[in-house]
Amino acid sequence: MNLKELATRLGLSPTTVSRALNGYPEVNEATRERVVAAAKRHNYHPNTRAIRLATGRAMAVGHVIPIATRHEIVNPVFADFIAGAGETYSRNDYDMVLSVVPDDDEEKTYRGLKSKGNVDGVIVHAPRMKDPRIPLLREIGLPFVVHGRATGTAEPYCWLDVNNRRAFQRATEFLLDLGHVRIGLVNGLEFMDFAIRRRTGYVDALSARGIAPDPALMASGEMTEIAGFRSAQAMLALPDPATAILASSMISGMGVRRAVESAGLVVGRDVSIIIHDDDLSYMKNGEDVPIFTATRSSVREAGRLAAEMLLGVIAHPDSGPQQRLLEAELIIGQSTGPALKN
Amino acid sequence: MNLKELATRLGLSPTTVSRALNGYPEVNEATRERVVAAAKRHNYHPNTRAIRLATGRAMAVGHVIPIATRHEIVNPVFADFIAGAGETYSRNDYDMVLSVVPDDDEEKTYRGLKSKGNVDGVIVHAPRMKDPRIPLLREIGLPFVVHGRATGTAEPYCWLDVNNRRAFQRATEFLLDLGHVRIGLVNGLEFMDFAIRRRTGYVDALSARGIAPDPALMASGEMTEIAGFRSAQAMLALPDPATAILASSMISGMGVRRAVESAGLVVGRDVSIIIHDDDLSYMKNGEDVPIFTATRSSVREAGRLAAEMLLGVIAHPDSGPQQRLLEAELIIGQSTGPALKN
DNA sequence: TCAGCCATCCAAAGCGGTTTGAAGCGATTC
DNA sequence: GAATCGCTTCAAACCGCTTTGGATGGCTGA
């Protein structure tokens, strides 16, 4: 059943039927009701491909996922962000198209997306310092929103980010207030923008109390369990070991916890742990009482909001670059406690 | 730059240019080269929306992700599967479109995808027993491939699955051979088809050795760290406690490990653990030496293969239902050892 | 009464490709 | 020399919708 058939059946022109269904004013209310009823009765759904060609809009948003040789973006955090963004798209009748491409094809992919007209805009994931995708997208004129920020980019652009610096600053201050001095940081890879900001927050908090950051207490790597384990193990084995550790994710936090426990120490008593909790739906930080004390910010919610921002930018291309900074909450769990006097 | 402009510039008709670029035989080789060169020079890319309307194909594959109220499908395993499938689509110039919808809209979504012509086929995720999506998709005539199988579905359909029964049977036999008798199963939710099959394999292996399955040693729940922890904790607290535990994923296995360690026991000596390892890219089971003994099967590779199968079905709709069963390998890690005599 | 004005509807021209049917033309065949 | 054939190329229809630019006719107001 297509528009023409439906129109014939109703004894109307395709024009009128189209207008009736799309809510245009120049159609008699009685006619509209008749059309709407017939459309429902015959289970008519306009063909998306035709709409797209006729309107010149793709009604779709792209997410480009590089199959990285050096760093995996396909991680649990990404999945939850996508889920959140997808909710927004569904509600707005947009499609979400994911392009999984070898990372040296990334630029070609963005250019293709634009020139072939597959999408109306894209979300940029996991920005790095001076991320080249930002000038690229501006150059080719494809609307975009960055999830995170890219330090070192001069021109303004649309982004939505968590205040990572402030979150880690607060977490560090919290540990300092508990009397901890030897505080370790198990960070993500420090070419990622968020990791840089987190370290800044951590260092700032220490410096404000006159504590010089100790390189031995600052690790950086993939946010995996095993990496968390190893980094924490090293920090606990120091002559002057860490008594508290900040971990960059739930998963690396689990590695840190394993290191603490396998050193015969008790989490929350001998060693405090604070993680960053993305509030992943399948990886809750406890149910009622959080297991870990954490800086929490829902990445799924971030996905929803970033998608909304992008749809806004697509609808109003010259409304100027929008920006939004979300604050993480500091939630107190069972993994932190006062530093032991000795 | 569109086809007509390019044709005008070349002094040719759009027909010839289109054919030249699409490799049709009825065009002079010299002309074709001229056209191809001009297309590259002017950076011409045919408009996807126009191609889709003209050919009647969507050149896209759908993945419907229900925002489940009762069960989360958006999990790490799903993310890796998607990444694998996406690789295949990119190589074949197909788009991957994800629909994130409330779970009571799932049927409506599939029907819409078909009648609006957004996709040429779909992948069905996380099948349950007698999964209603299979008859639905058959009814509306939308090509599909199921990742997994749905026990209780009479008619044949396309699927790609891991031999879950055999994998868990072998794992159980391996533990039995090591002298374990009290073997626990920390399973996924048992309305999921894969979980049923795993339990069957486990029970079969025990029965073959004359061991009656003990309900106290069989848990079922979400595959989270905390659920794994709790189930294992209960099994270790029994009067006749488990000396070995099968866990359904890396994450629940981490919970099991924590339960073992926090009971003051040593993994691989006091208690053996075998997990199912989906070989997730960001959650490796060790680097050279696996941490866990595991039944391993790459879910990413499964994604690639399922996507290939679907593209095949789309290209040859009446080639009959294809089916493929992948075997998991049993890899020996550091989490298993002989049962202690006492 | 008649021009002017809404309210309502329609024909036709896109959107940018693919594909069908036919035509031009030099070479071959009879 | 005419008919035939193959190789190239093209004009036009088509995919299914949106949207522009009328057309129609009843109603209002002078």
Side-chain angles (χ1 to χ4, degrees), chain A residues 87 300, chain B residues 64-73 99-110 128 132-133 136 191:
Chain A
E87 289 176 43
R300 188 155 187 162
Chain B
V64 176
I65 309 161
I67 291 293
T69 37
R70 40 178 201 160
H71 173 58
E72 273 302 338
I73 195 181
S99 303
V100 178
V101 300
D103 50 4
D104 26 317
D105 287 1
E106 211 177 338
E107 175 172 348
K108 195 169 44 163
T109 302
Y110 282 115
R128 302 179 293 278
R133 290 171 292 181
L136 171 68
F191 56 79

Side-chain angles (χ1 to χ4, degrees), chain B residues 124 126-139 144 146 148-159 191 193 196-197 321 323:
Chain B
V124 173
R128 302 179 293 278
M129 275 189 69
K130 297 187 184 163
D131 199 298
R133 290 171 292 181
I134 294 173
L136 171 68
L137 289 168
R138 196 200 312 282
E139 177 209 325
F144 66 98
V146 180
R149 278 172 285 177
T151 305
T153 300
E155 314 267 321
Y157 56 92
C158 292
W159 54 259
F191 56 79
D193 198 84
I196 301 171
R197 292 179 193 274
Q323 287 151 0

